[in-house]
Every structure is written in C-alpha cells, then in structure tokens.
Amino acid sequence: MASAPRTESGLDLWPYEEARKLAARVAKYDPARPVVFQSGFGPSGLPHLGTMGEVLRPSYVRQAFRTLYGDDRPDRFIVFIDDMDGLRKVPESLPNREVFTPWLGQPVSRIPDPFGDCHDSFASHMVALLGTFLAPVEVEYELIRSSAMYASGGFDAALRLVLERHQEIIRVIAPTLRAENRAGWSPVMPVCPNCGQVNSTLVTAYYPERGAVAISCERTFGGAHRCGFTGEVSVLGGGAKAQWKVDWALRWYVLAVDYELYGKDLIDSARLSGQIVKILGGRAPLGFPFEMYLDEEGHKVSKSVGRGVGVEQWRRYAPIEVLKYFLILNPKRARKLFLEAIPQYVDEYLEALREWSRSDETARRNSPLRFVLQSDSSRRFDSDLTFGLLMAVVPAIGSKDRALIWEYLTRYDDKIERDDDTRRLVRTLVECALNFYDDFVAPLLDFYKPRTDSERAQLATLRDYLAANPDATAEVIEREIYEIGRAHYDKPGKIFTLLYRVLLGKERGPRLGPYVRLRGPAEIVEMLTTALSAN
C-alpha cells in the first residue's frame, strides 16, 4: 500500500503532482500488485520527438512516484505497439512509396519491411527504430506488441466480452460518428482470411458463444480494397483487432493500466474508451492530456506525413540531455519542435544548468534537472557562454578549425577550462554548432571573387602587408585595413564589406583585426591569394 510520502515533501513539479494522484488511486490495491504505466506507439511511421515525449514523460511520473513513496512498490511501464493497425496511407518519409499501395488496409505487422530485408515486417523495422531512438535517454520499459497480444490469446477473454456487449459499446460510439459511418460500425475489425486486410471487413452478425462474427469484405475504408469474401471468422487468436477506442479500452482492462499520458487531441477518445472499459467491468486509468508539438508552421507534428524531428537529427545539433529537459517542462504548454528552434532550447537548458550549479541540495529538490541528471546530479556548467553566441562564433570565424574556435571561446571565458563538466559540455556544443553550420549556414555562403582592378588592388595590398608583417597586432592590422580603404573609397569603412564577402562569404562579420590575428595572418594570406587567382 502506498503510504504518505516518506522521503521528501514540498515538491510541486507536475510529475510529483501526478504521482500523488496515482498514489491515491492505488492506495487500496494489494501491495503486491504492480502499478502500471502505459504509453503507445503506432508503427505506421517513423518515430519522432513527439514519440519520445510519450515515453519520457510517463517515466518522469514513475520516477516521481518512486521518489515520494519508495521503490519497494512494484511497477511496470508498458510501451504498447499498435502493429495490428491497418496501414491507411504510406508515410511520405518512406522510400519507394508506390510499392506499398497494394498493402494498404493490411496490418502493419504483415507488411514487408520498407527499407529492405533487415526485418520481417514494416512494423518490426519501426519497432527496431523505436528501440534505437529510445536508447540514448535510458528509459526502463517493457515492450508489448499488439499482434503478439492478439495472436497469443491475451485479449481473447476481453474480446468475448466485447462481442457479448457489442450493442452497449455501439450505443456509446455511434453518436460520435458521422451519419454515413454509423450503419455497420462494429467494435471489432476482423482480418479477412482471403485478402488479409483489416480495414475492408464489415461485420454482419455476432456469435459471442463461439467468439466469432460473420463478415463481408466490401469496405474501402482507410485505403482498403475489398475482395468480396463472405463467411464466418473467429475474432480470437489474432483473427481480429478491436476498433481504436475499443482497442485502447482492451489494453486498460487486460493490462490493468493505472496511468497514461496522451495528446490533447485524444481527450474525447480517452473519455469514450473510459466508458467502454467500464462496460467491460474495468476501470479507466488516470489520464494526463498534454499539449501538442508543433512544427515551424504551427502544424501538429505527424508521423504519417513525415513531419517532425528525429532523435538522430536532434543529437546532431544538441546534446540528448537538452531533449530530456525540454520534455520535462510544462506539458500543458504547446511548444514548437523543429530543427531551427533547437538552439533556443539549448540555451534554456544551459541557463537551468547554471542555476543548478549555484544551488544547494534543498533548492535542487524541486528542479526539473533532477529528472534529467538523475545519478549525474553533481553536474556543473560554470560559464556564461550561450549556444546562441557559439552559433554566431562559428560562422564569424569562418573556419572549422576546432583549435581556433576553442582559443576564441577560452579567451571569451577562461572559466571554461577550469571545470571538467563545463569543458566536456562546451566541446560537445562546439561539435553541434559545427554540424548546424555545415547543414544550414555553409550552403548559403557566397564567397566573393574580386571583379575590378580596385578590388584586386585592395586584396593584394592587404595580402602583401600581412605576409611582410606576420607578428602585427590586431590593432595595427585593423589600422592598416582602414588605410587601404581610405586609398580606395570616400569612406574607408567600405573595405570591410569586400573583405567579409571574400573571407566569410557574407557581408558582415567580426572586427577584422582581431579576426585576422585569431585565425592567423598566414591563413588569411593564403585565402587572399586564392581569391586573387580566381578568374
């Protein structure tokens, strides 16, 4: 039995609030009965960071529950894979999309691997990607596949109840359907034994006593293409799957789920599934509807159209710990989740980590970073550096020379080198900034080649000066550039635009004297020589 919190109090982050609600729910349970958390994944498309949130967030509530009530109460965290769903449309992110059109309407567990022969099915490939996807965040979970649950008979007893009480279930669902979809709606979707489709079958009669229904394969719903089969089929042992809201209720009923988060777009579905599980004799779990993730245009992140950010993309541009922090923040607030927004989230994380570094243990108890860092709770970030500044430094320096970038950063803030945690994180951020530069900045650069005698003369004069004066200070170099500009323009500062375009591929940049000194006069001489030799 979950007692009152025995270790910590005064904690008000949303996972603790949810953990307290959950404790009240399970207080009367047999203490040996596990507290069951659940999340779902539909393997009809590639996992994205929205998927990550649906797994990480319940794990945070699970962590809070253990923090408040101890870890002697058994629990389970089930990630349920909906691989009996029929494929309704081919995701835009898949290769050779036209090849999969004939498979529309079939369960994704029975469709070939879209990426070759590395897995036995479409679903298996997506499940493998999910495992790889979740590995970096180190969440403890138990994976259950819908196809295995149905085929093994795990849902059979509940499916018999569905058949016995199908009229009650239909009365719950029918008012929510369009008028044209009400006739013939059934809580079960049998797999056609002739064509293998699950979206094409229409139930025409129920036989609860033998766990069977009569069907006609005549529907074209969800991409299905009817074959015309008619006959009696069993709904047991994988012969059918339940309709979505009924399927959700089946999981809650059979797996005795206590807690589940879901997007706010599923609030009505959760309410209806709660009514269905009550019809079956069960109890709906505690629910937590969270706000949606939006792309740069404000649209909901979607697997089916390939809209969203993958975890490998995220890791290319930001540390995984930033993602974990992003997902612990207020789930009731919609947040944009696209690549160009990542630098903003990195800086939010760095500011939180700086505050963590300055805080004592009492202040840390209620910090979101407690869920992110866990056993690494001694982490520090002892620097004023921001990722925004670093993202500006890399293109400003105009070089991928890591030693050069590091020299600049440690001049900017010498504290970077004093702390191991800070140094390691900054080095990771440098790699992320370089990746961002390669993918988003470098393709837009336009390195200018001199076109007039005046431009060539300016570049040649600066080149010759730097070659003859390799030890000139930044101030002296800056003054010399002004003198060259004064000889060619009415306003000497106009030379800077030419030099920025030649050296950096853009019209603005840092002060050129310190830049030349930092990058090295010899390298600038080489770049100017190359520009002058261009046709």
Side-chain angles (χ1 to χ4, degrees):
M1 178 175 181
S3 59
R6 65 190 191 195
T7 55
E8 301 189 57
S9 60
L11 304 180
D12 56 12
L13 287 174
W14 71 267
Y16 296 119
E17 294 177 0
E18 294 300 295
R20 293 186 184 97
K21 295 175 187 176
L22 182 58
R25 173 190 172 95
V26 303
K28 297 179 181 179
Y29 288 175
D30 180 343
R33 176 200 182 283
V35 178
V36 181
F37 300 81
Q38 184 184 244
S39 182
F41 171 62
S44 58
L46 300 171
H48 53 67
L49 293 189
T51 311
M52 182 74 76
E54 293 178 20
V55 175
L56 264 182
R57 283 170 167 168
S59 77
Y60 291 149
V61 178
R62 185 188 197 188
Q63 180 183 337
F65 188 88
R66 290 176 172 180
T67 297
L68 292 175
Y69 301 100
D71 56 7
D72 54 346
R73 177 69 188 256
D75 60 49
R76 301 173 69 188
F77 179 25
I78 297 168
V79 176
F80 196 91
I81 308 298
D82 301 316
D83 65 347
M84 277 290 284
D85 281 353
L87 185 66
R88 299 188 183 188
K89 59 181 177 180
V90 183
E92 294 179 8
S93 53
L94 294 186
N96 304 316
R97 296 178 63 237
E98 66 283 353
V99 173
F100 291 90
T101 300
W103 294 95
L104 291 174
Q106 297 221 17
V108 290
S109 57
R110 304 184 183 190
I111 298 175
D113 185 350
F115 295 95
D117 298 325
C118 50
H119 295 88
D120 61 13
S121 70
F122 188 114
S124 293
H125 192 107
M126 298 303 171
V127 170
L129 288 177
L130 178 68
T132 303
F133 185 82
L134 294 176
V137 294
E138 301 177 332
V139 175
E140 175 191 347
Y141 63 92
E142 174 185 348
L143 191 144
I144 296 180
R145 292 180 64 156
S146 176
S147 57
M149 259 317 263
Y150 278 102
S152 68
F155 282 152
D156 281 0
L159 285 169
R160 288 183 182 276
L161 283 176
V162 168
L163 295 189
E164 289 174 6
R165 302 169 188 177
H166 70 274
Q167 292 181 336
E168 295 177 67
I169 295 172
I170 291 172
R171 279 195 292 270
V172 167
I173 298 297
T176 71
L177 303 174
R178 295 177 182 175
E180 64 270 22
N181 294 332
R182 291 173 189 167
W185 186 89
S186 170
V188 293
M189 301 173 68
V191 179
C192 177
N194 183 54
C195 66
Q197 295 180 99
V198 70
N199 291 348
S200 61
T201 51
L202 178 70
V203 174
T204 57
Y206 295 84
Y207 307 111
E209 66 282 359
R210 52 183 183 268
V213 293
I215 68 164
S216 174
C217 184
E218 61 182 69
R219 303 174 72 222
T220 56
F221 169 75
H225 32 280
R226 57 198 173 199
C227 74
F229 171 86
T230 59
E232 181 179 319
V233 298
S234 173
V235 303
L236 309 178
K241 75 174 295 290
Q243 292 271 12
W244 149 236
K245 297 176 185 68
V246 183
D247 185 88
W248 206 4
L250 279 185
R251 293 183 230 163
W252 293 347
Y253 177 72
V254 173
L255 300 173
V257 176
D258 294 302
Y259 190 86
E260 182 158 2
L261 286 87
Y262 45 82
K264 73 170 188 179
D265 57 334
L266 296 181
I267 290 175
D268 285 342
S269 295
R271 177 180 57 81
L272 295 169
S273 294
Q275 295 179 44
I276 294 168
V277 76
K278 187 174 181 180
I279 290 171
L280 298 179
R283 184 184 184 192
L286 288 177
F288 187 102
F290 54 81
E291 268 289 355
M292 310 311 298
Y293 307 104
L294 308 175
D295 66 12
E296 60 269 39
E297 297 176 356
H299 300 304
K300 174 189 169 185
V301 168
S302 169
K303 294 192 300 291
S304 62
V305 297
R307 185 187 295 135
V309 180
V311 73
E312 289 308 314
Q313 289 176 299
W314 182 286
R315 295 178 74 188
R316 181 165 173 77
Y317 308 121
I320 199 68
E321 64 205 61
V322 177
L323 173 59
K324 296 176 73 173
Y325 179 74
F326 171 83
L327 292 172
I328 188 64
L329 300 178
N330 184 5
K332 295 291 188 180
R333 173 189 169 192
R335 303 198 77 180
K336 289 191 174 181
L337 186 55
F338 56 97
L339 294 177
E340 289 81 354
I342 289 178
Q344 169 193 337
Y345 300 138
V346 175
D347 275 340
E348 289 180 16
Y349 173 73
L350 293 180
E351 181 55 36
L353 191 54
R354 273 189 286 269
E355 182 63 30
W356 177 271
S357 302
R358 295 189 291 261
S359 301
D360 58 23
E361 183 56 35
T362 300
R364 290 180 176 185
R365 294 192 317 157
N366 208 31
S367 168
L369 285 183
R370 188 173 188 184
F371 292 86
V372 176
L373 301 176
Q374 297 187 35
S375 60
D376 197 20
S377 59
S378 62
R379 281 283 303 280
R380 296 177 52 80
F381 189 68
D382 188 19
S383 172
D384 295 328
L385 179 70
T386 67
F387 196 51
L389 174 64
L390 182 53
M391 295 282 286
V393 164
V394 171
I397 289 177
S399 171
K400 295 179 64 177
D401 185 330
R402 288 161 175 78
L404 190 66
I405 295 170
W406 195 255
E407 181 183 352
Y408 181 94
L409 295 177
T410 51
R411 284 185 186 179
Y412 169 79
D413 186 353
D414 60 5
K415 297 191 297 297
I416 291 172
E417 285 282 20
R418 298 179 192 172
D419 176 72
D420 289 344
D421 286 342
T422 303
R423 183 171 57 254
R424 278 192 295 268
L425 182 51
V426 172
R427 288 200 179 277
T428 298
L429 294 176
V430 167
E431 295 304 313
C432 292
L434 286 170
N435 290 337
F436 208 95
Y437 174 82
D438 282 344
D439 295 348
F440 296 101
V441 179
L444 302 178
L445 298 180
D446 182 17
F447 289 92
Y448 182 75
K449 305 302 180 185
R451 297 173 182 172
T452 67
D453 290 342
S454 174
E455 290 175 343
R456 281 188 284 271
Q458 294 169 63
L459 299 184
T461 302
L462 179 58
R463 178 198 61 186
D464 295 344
Y465 174 81
L466 293 174
N469 299 275
D471 297 324
T473 65
E475 292 76 11
V476 171
I477 293 171
E478 189 89 10
R479 190 162 55 246
E480 179 64 22
I481 293 172
Y482 267 105
E483 290 302 320
I484 297 171
R486 186 170 287 111
H488 290 269
Y489 300 102
D490 57 338
K491 294 181 179 180
K494 289 182 178 180
I495 190 175
F496 289 99
T497 299
L498 171 64
L499 294 176
Y500 288 140
R501 294 175 70 189
V502 169
L503 299 174
L504 298 175
K506 53 187 182 178
E507 295 192 354
R508 297 179 181 178
R511 288 185 60 202
L512 279 174
Y515 172 75
V516 171
R517 190 69 262 163
L518 177 66
R519 189 152 187 183
E523 185 173 348
I524 300 300
V525 166
E526 183 177 341
M527 294 176 69
L528 292 173
T529 300
T530 300
L532 285 165
S533 64
N535 294 329

